[in-house]
Amino acid sequence: MQTKTHYQLLGISPTADEAEIRRAYDVRMQQLAGSGSVQLEAVRKAHAVLADPIRRAVYDASLRNQDQGMVPPPEPVARRAGAGQRWLMVLAGVALLGAGLFWLSQRPKSAPKPVLPAATEPAIIVDGVAATPDEIAEANASIETRRNGLAQQKWSERTRLENRKSQLGTELAVMMMDGQRLPPDADQASIDYVERKRAALEHEIAWLKARLEEIDHVELPMAAKGELAPAKEYTPPSE
């Protein structure tokens, strides 16, 4: 049975953003409440990888490399031979087997040659995940694109909130002036309306200030950094 990807475990598409990943994780954890620890651990691991931009980029690159693998086509099935041909094939096979065994028995024994490991591209360890330099470069390109998009979103959201905060400040100033201009014999309903409006404006302004502070503390994803994996020591085969 084919192992599910992290996206399949959370029930989302590979293009899902951070908010969709978080919502899908919450839904899956509610659905698996009371289930086995294996399923919960798999969902937690999937969320931990996809919620981290660097680990997600490396994981996406490894998925693409797996998708590019080619499966060789099956060999064509030969026609069934007749009864006489089958006997001839059996006899020929027995004769070849006997000749091969005789040749092996007469061959002088020699020490086996050591099998050298194949030269491969050095692996890089990123957050405990092995990746090639090409995968790191591809991951960094993806991270740079996401970084630029998040920076644009951060600037747009901050501009919108600053404009709203300025507008509310103006409304609050006008409301304070209206409250001061109320006549001494103003009814209680008018006084209560002004107070409620002022409190609502002050509350929203406080919320906007807190939201702007949150945006200022949002960290953009950094490029993936890794170190070369330690080389494995060569061990000659035993005789």
Side-chain angles (χ1 to χ4, degrees):
M1 182 175 64
Q2 186 178 7
T3 304
K4 290 185 178 180
T5 65
H6 293 339
Y7 295 103
Q8 292 172 343
L9 285 173
L10 296 180
I12 57 177
S13 66
T15 59
D17 57 16
E18 288 82 355
E20 293 175 341
I21 293 173
R22 182 62 191 179
R23 286 195 298 269
Y25 172 70
D26 293 339
V27 171
R28 289 293 294 157
M29 292 300 290
Q30 292 178 2
Q31 293 175 348
L32 295 177
S35 301
S37 59
V38 177
Q39 292 179 320
L40 292 174
E41 184 63 26
V43 172
R44 291 194 187 100
K45 180 179 179 182
H47 175 261
V49 173
L50 300 182
D52 186 287
I54 296 177
R55 298 178 66 183
R56 180 181 181 181
V58 173
Y59 179 72
D60 291 343
S62 65
L63 286 181
R64 285 190 290 271
N65 289 341
Q66 293 177 5
D67 293 339
Q68 293 175 359
M70 299 297 294
V71 179
E75 293 293 335
V77 181
R79 289 186 174 181
R80 295 181 177 273
Q85 293 178 348
R86 287 199 298 270
W87 277 109
L88 290 176
M89 292 172 63
V90 171
L91 292 176
V94 172
L96 289 175
L97 178 61
L101 293 175
F102 176 79
W103 178 79
L104 289 175
S105 63
Q106 300 299 320
R107 184 183 180 185
K109 295 183 179 180
S110 58
K113 295 182 179 180
V115 179
L116 298 178
T120 57
E121 191 175 14
I124 294 178
I125 303 301
V126 178
D127 195 17
V129 180
T132 63
D134 290 340
E135 290 176 341
I136 294 297
E138 185 177 358
N140 283 337
S142 176
I143 291 173
E144 183 65 21
T145 301
R146 291 170 56 80
R147 179 185 176 88
N148 294 336
L150 289 175
Q152 180 65 27
Q153 293 178 7
K154 182 178 177 180
W155 178 83
S156 300
E157 182 68 7
R158 181 173 181 82
T159 302
R160 184 184 69 82
L161 294 178
E162 286 285 2
N163 292 337
R164 178 60 178 166
K165 181 170 171 281
S166 177
Q167 178 185 359
L168 292 178
T170 303
E171 293 182 9
L172 180 60
V174 173
M175 181 60 61
M176 296 294 291
M177 293 177 62
D178 290 343
Q180 294 175 0
R181 285 198 297 264
L182 285 175
D185 57 346
D187 59 347
Q188 189 63 35
S190 299
I191 297 175
D192 292 343
Y193 170 77
V194 172
E195 288 298 323
R196 287 197 303 270
K197 184 66 175 178
R198 180 187 59 80
L201 290 174
E202 291 178 348
H203 177 75
E204 188 169 358
I205 290 175
W207 180 85
L208 288 172
K209 290 181 179 178
R211 179 59 180 155
L212 287 171
E213 292 180 359
E214 291 180 0
I215 292 177
D216 291 337
H217 287 84
V218 172
E219 296 184 0
L220 300 178
M222 303 299 294
K225 295 181 180 180
E227 57 183 5
L228 289 177
K232 296 182 179 179
E233 296 183 0
Y234 170 70
T235 304
S238 57
E239 296 183 359

